[in-house]
Amino acid sequence: MTTGGPQNWRDGIDGATLRIAETDHSPLRVLAGPGTGKTFALMRRILRLIQTGVAPDKILVSTFTRTAAKDLERELRRLGAAGIENVRAGTLHALCFSILNQVAVLAITNRTPRPLMDFETRFLLQDLSGSEFGGVRACNERLLAFNAAWARLQSDDPGWLKDDTDRRFSQELMRWLSFHKAMLIGELIPVTLSYLRNNPNCQERTQFQHVLVDEYQDLNRAEQLLLDLLASNGSLTVIGDENQSIYAFKYAHPEGIVEFGDCHANTLDENLSECRRCPKIVVQMANALILNSTSQSRRQLVPFPNNPEGEVHIIQWQEMGQEADGLARFIQSRVASGSVSAGSVLVLAPRRQFGYAIRNALRKLQVPAHSFFNEEELDGNPKELAECSAQEMFTLLCLLVDPDDRVALRCWCGFGSDSLRQVPWAKLMKRCSETGQSPRELLEQIAAGNATLPRSKQLVERFNLLKQRLASLAGLSGQRLVDALYPDGQDWAEPFRALAGSIGQPDYDALALVQHLRSGITQPELPTDVDYVRVMSLHKSKGLTADLVVVTGLLEGLMPHIDQNQPLADQEKALEEQRRLFYVAITRCRQTLVLSNVNYLPRDQAHKMRAKVGRGGTQSYAPTIASRFFDQLGNHRPSPVSGQQFLSTTLPAQTA
């Protein structure tokens, strides 16, 4: 055993954690609020299992993110138990890919594991839209249900299609994916679930004696059932908090953990409620906020007696530029004084525009800052080439690696068109399906005058441009390749240059670059031990903590963001989840919490962000309204102040 780790799983353990560690084979549900020590409890349970004779490779720990998996692996190594490095820890998607690859499920079923990025999915949705499936938005809702194995409700049985339109949509979706030799990342769950359910003798059903699941409230019904099957030969422990359930868009419901005992006989329950992370005032505000929930439990946190009282500010600025400059000055002053380090500052924003403005203002003040909006870096309207440079360059890189990449070719041919050239591409698909040619082969023939296809002129023009661009990139590698695709000095290119900079070798080729970028964008690892300010969305902050937390963009229409076109019941559910998301954000804080909003937004920005604005203002700026959530923080919250008042009371006199 290595030194430094606990010699016994009982060392330094309290009553609830002791019971969590000692539970043997009964299903165990641990309700653990933010900062209540769930990771500590999880570690001690694993240590107890190993020290009482369970083989480490018979223990599976499912985490919600890659970052959590990395942190878990690091903590496990610190425990020092023999063989503990063999505990299987990772995300459910990673486990599914491993299972499907190991038993060649994808190869046997003729599926190609070429994952679609979010922006590429937009082309898929365009091609499926129209007719009985409705528009792009309606198709996206069905796509999300498909990824959840059609279990839209917690009461649904995953995997069974009950609606004829869903069935036809599923058939057309699979036809598109099969033709384009690709699959959805979200497919990993339903495909693995089908494999496990239909093959009761498969070794994966008996591989693990103990399955432990973190953030259970963020799993949908299909993911829950999959874990039930993996735990069918042993015990199942789930840890989570219904107050932090924030993934309804993938059909994860807080009822999942609330009703766990109803479908798992003899479930034992433990409750971790003493918050050791947040200052007392933040605990009081968080409790007041969650009391507004319609949930029957509305569990409350208990502040740890030794926690500091804390510091909270609620601020309103005139506009985004003033907000970014003011908050950057405040953060810079705290870093300069030594009261916090840059790495212990977290800036959270419901829209990346707010985050980018603060990040840039910090950099002007020589405070290192990085943003982590990841997939949003590939945002932009694919109908407007000027707005989707990032998409176009990533697509070009994919085609440089594989000229027959059908998904990338579909995207390249569709850029810049109001319809993304849906009809011409459908004709090309039909011809290729009849002749057995690949899309590239057919376009080569048409471009050479050896074949014809109605309405293919613009496809051929884009294809010829593609060949020119690929020729200009031939032979480039390493930084030269990055510079050609993502020019220095371009804001849209910066995140990709930063990702490329973390590749370990200097002279990497196009394949290494595209693999690294795809992994970094779709499966980001949010670093926890850094020397710079981290800027990200509220969703991505789950699992992180910081001494100083700044939450910006707290405006009606953004936080909460409610789609007024939805049925009233759905609007109410959305409001509940937005409140839980705000709860998650404020409970990241260990010392100081800053909640910020602005009086006015540029009208064009407000439209893009779908913010609610009022009448009046100017031709360029529209008035906004502060979030309703401020009124739900209870009487312990401080009174809101103007940005000028805030700076005059928090900055040193010579800089205020």
Side-chain angles (χ1 to χ4, degrees), residues 243-246 282 285-286 289-290 312 314 348 350 538-539 541 549-555 558-560 575-588 593-596 627-633 637:
N243 291 337
Q244 298 184 77
S245 177
I246 57 174
V282 173
M285 290 165 56
L289 177 68
I290 217 64
V312 176
I314 301 178
L348 309 179
L538 278 67
H539 271 96
S541 70
V549 174
V550 177
V551 189
T552 185
L554 296 175
L555 299 168
L558 300 183
M559 179 54 58
L575 177 60
E576 292 289 308
E577 176 159 292
Q578 292 280 292
R579 183 183 294 111
R580 294 192 296 267
L581 179 58
F582 187 41
Y583 176 87
V584 167
I586 66 176
T587 54
R588 303 307 93 200
L593 175 65
V594 176
L595 306 177
S596 179
S627 171
R628 71 188 74 177
F629 289 151
F630 287 127
D631 280 336
Q632 299 181 10
L633 294 174
R637 62 143 230 201

Side-chain angles (χ1 to χ4, degrees), residues 117-170:
M117 307 288 281
D118 275 1
F119 84 89
E120 294 171 332
T121 303
R122 175 64 179 82
F123 292 83
L124 158 67
L125 295 171
Q126 182 72 34
D127 289 350
L128 295 178
S129 66
S131 186
E132 62 179 323
F133 304 138
V136 168
R137 180 172 179 173
C139 287
N140 187 54
E141 291 176 356
R142 292 187 191 276
L143 188 66
L144 292 171
F146 172 85
N147 287 337
W150 301 108
R152 292 176 170 95
L153 302 175
Q154 182 61 30
S155 57
D156 287 346
D157 190 6
W160 309 112
L161 280 158
K162 301 175 184 178
D163 181 89
D164 285 341
T165 305
D166 283 346
R167 186 173 291 107
R168 288 189 290 273
F169 177 84
S170 181

Side-chain angles (χ1 to χ4, degrees), residues 609-648:
M609 291 189 279
R610 293 179 292 174
K612 298 289 185 182
V613 296
R615 296 186 181 92
T618 67
Q619 185 175 0
S620 300
Y621 284 84
T624 61
I625 300 175
S627 171
R628 71 188 74 177
F629 289 151
F630 287 127
D631 280 336
Q632 299 181 10
L633 294 174
N635 58 3
H636 294 284
R637 62 143 230 201
S639 297
V641 299
S642 70
Q644 184 177 2
Q645 289 174 289
F646 169 70
L647 294 178
S648 67

Side-chain angles (χ1 to χ4, degrees), residues 13-43:
I13 204 169
D14 61 19
T17 306
L18 178 63
R19 292 190 296 273
I20 292 168
E22 285 186 320
T23 300
D24 288 321
H25 296 289
S26 296
L28 174 63
R29 170 175 52 187
V30 181
L31 299 175
T36 57
K38 67 171 182 176
T39 302
F40 180 79
L42 188 65
M43 293 300 99

Side-chain angles (χ1 to χ4, degrees), residues 427-428 431 435 437 442-457 460:
K427 292 182 179 297
L428 182 139
R431 177 72 62 83
T435 64
Q437 294 173 288
L442 180 55
L443 286 171
E444 286 277 16
Q445 287 191 357
I446 299 171
N450 297 325
T452 60
L453 183 71
R455 301 183 64 173
S456 63
K457 179 181 178 181
V460 172

Side-chain angles (χ1 to χ4, degrees), residues 307-321:
N307 287 4
E309 289 299 323
E311 176 187 359
V312 176
H313 302 278
I314 301 178
I315 317 158
Q316 187 169 71
W317 310 83
Q318 282 293 312
E319 44 82 25
M320 289 177 62

Side-chain angles (χ1 to χ4, degrees), residues 552-573:
T552 185
L554 296 175
L555 299 168
E556 281 296 310
L558 300 183
M559 179 54 58
H561 170 67
I562 309 296
D563 186 347
Q564 303 296 327
N565 294 319
Q566 290 184 323
L568 183 58
D570 290 341
Q571 292 184 41
E572 292 173 348
K573 288 181 180 179

Side-chain angles (χ1 to χ4, degrees), residues 479 482-484 486-490 493-502 517:
Q479 191 60 47
V482 172
D483 289 341
Y486 304 105
D488 191 14
Q490 298 291 323
E494 181 185 347
F496 303 93
R497 294 180 64 86
L499 272 176
S502 62
L517 292 181

